[in-house]
Amino acid sequence: MDQKIINLYDEYTHSKLSRKDFMKKLAIITGGTAMAMTVLPLLENNYANAASFYDDSIISENITYPGADGEMKAVLAKPKDKKNLGSVVVIHENRGLNPHIIDVTKRVAAEGFIALGIDALSPFGGTPADEDKGRELIGKLDPDKNLQNYLKGLGYLRDRKDGNGKTGLIGFCWGGGMANKLAVNDPNLQAAVAYYGAQAKAEDVPKIKASVMLHYGGLDERINAGIPAYEEALKKNHVDYQIFIYEGVNHAFNNDTSPTRYNKAAAKLAWQRTIDLFKTKLK
């Protein structure tokens, strides 16, 4: 697919560009409204491809835990009948806790961890079915309370009797930015993995105590613009970090429900690197 189309969709999903204006621009690039409507399903997430992961060695359930200002909803997945496990918070993209992220949460559990997929939109009643509505609500979250809600989620995991007290996190897109932010704000964190997420401010990097792993798509110019300053700060402050840039792939390359941006080879390699880090730091 024409990279201009993918870049336009990225602009739409990460800015205040309205759906009406997005469709107008898409029609111009594709040569007409009819072709734009044909291309659109290839751009949007197809959750029929998600929620397909099954492993009978794990169990999952919907739970709540006390947040900064009310109950937080989450999906908890873990290996059956096992204790002394490391724990991982899974942080969704900018549209909420959708079937894809629930699937990712289960995949983390299948690797031998307690995994908690937190719904950041809990203050609004939870993630809506309408993705555009979810994107709108993400922008209405109180940043300070949202941060506290995730910090309290990490605290919840550390207090579980089946855990070993060690915690990590993995975030994608909006969640990748939150992963970096949490690395700054939680000195007890062991590992933070950010997929194509906004970088932490250079002046905040000295606060990071966790091992950091950063995954980027080589074609993701918007997010990649922040890499040099972040890496310089990580080096300067002697933070344990790894940066991987997967050439020729786009933002959201790990999302297998996004057919035009998903890259199987990059996703597989990034996942293996992520799990290896968790097994080193959280066991």
Side-chain angles (χ1 to χ4, degrees):
M1 182 174 289
D2 190 331
Q3 189 63 37
K4 291 181 181 178
I5 295 175
I6 296 175
N7 290 344
L8 175 62
Y9 186 69
D10 186 64
E11 179 188 355
Y12 166 58
T13 56
H14 298 95
S15 72
K16 294 183 179 180
L17 182 67
S18 70
R19 189 172 184 85
K20 182 179 179 180
D21 289 339
F22 162 67
M23 291 303 297
K24 285 182 179 179
K25 291 185 176 184
L26 183 60
I28 292 172
I29 295 176
T30 58
T33 302
M35 184 56 69
M37 295 303 295
T38 300
V39 168
L40 186 60
L42 301 177
L43 293 168
E44 295 182 318
N45 293 341
N46 179 4
Y47 294 132
N49 295 333
S52 59
F53 181 78
Y54 175 77
D55 188 321
D56 62 7
S57 70
I58 67 170
I59 55 174
S60 63
E61 61 179 327
N62 295 322
I63 64 118
T64 61
Y65 67 88
D69 190 19
E71 293 293 308
M72 291 297 296
K73 299 179 180 181
V75 171
L76 180 84
K78 55 166 287 188
K80 293 178 180 177
D81 303 321
K82 290 188 178 181
K83 297 182 179 180
N84 198 34
L85 299 168
S87 301
V88 178
V89 165
V90 181
I91 314 175
H92 55 66
E93 299 165 324
N94 68 341
R95 296 171 227 181
L97 187 63
N98 57 37
H100 167 62
I101 297 300
I102 293 173
D103 191 69
V104 171
T105 303
K106 293 177 181 178
R107 290 178 184 275
V108 172
E111 298 287 353
F113 303 97
I114 302 169
L116 187 68
I118 297 172
D119 189 345
L121 296 178
S122 296
F124 303 115
T127 295
D130 184 339
E131 284 202 341
D132 286 338
K133 182 64 175 178
R135 183 167 62 100
E136 177 185 334
L137 291 175
I138 283 283
K140 295 181 178 180
L141 285 170
D142 180 296
D144 293 332
K145 288 183 179 180
N146 181 59
L147 175 62
Q148 289 302 315
N149 287 336
Y150 275 101
L151 291 173
K152 288 179 179 295
L154 287 163
Y156 163 80
L157 288 175
R158 291 180 185 125
D159 290 340
R160 286 184 62 94
K161 293 182 179 180
D162 50 359
N164 61 12
K166 296 180 180 180
T167 51
L169 47 83
I170 179 173
F172 305 88
C173 182
W174 179 86
M178 279 303 303
N180 285 317
K181 192 172 184 178
L182 285 161
V184 168
N185 285 278
D186 190 339
N188 298 314
L189 194 66
Q190 273 72 41
V193 180
Y195 280 67
Y196 30 83
Q199 295 82 7
K201 295 178 181 179
E203 59 267 30
D204 290 335
V205 170
K207 299 176 185 177
I208 297 177
K209 306 302 179 185
S211 294
V212 175
M213 180 176 285
L214 308 168
H215 300 291
Y216 299 103
L219 299 176
D220 191 4
E221 296 179 1
R222 177 181 59 86
I223 289 295
N224 293 357
I227 294 176
Y230 193 27
E231 182 167 22
E232 181 181 359
L234 290 167
K235 286 181 178 179
K236 181 179 178 180
N237 291 281
H238 308 290
V239 176
D240 178 28
Y241 80 96
Q242 298 176 73
I243 291 180
F244 299 104
I245 299 176
Y246 303 86
E247 297 301 334
V249 303
N250 283 286
H251 185 90
F253 68 81
N254 185 72
N255 190 336
D256 58 3
T257 70
S258 179
T260 57
R261 297 183 292 171
Y262 173 60
N263 184 285
K264 184 176 181 180
K268 182 178 180 181
L269 180 55
W271 183 259
Q272 189 57 59
R273 286 168 167 167
T274 296
I275 297 305
D276 286 346
L277 177 68
F278 287 158
K279 288 183 176 179
T280 299
K281 298 297 179 179
L282 304 183
K283 293 293 187 179

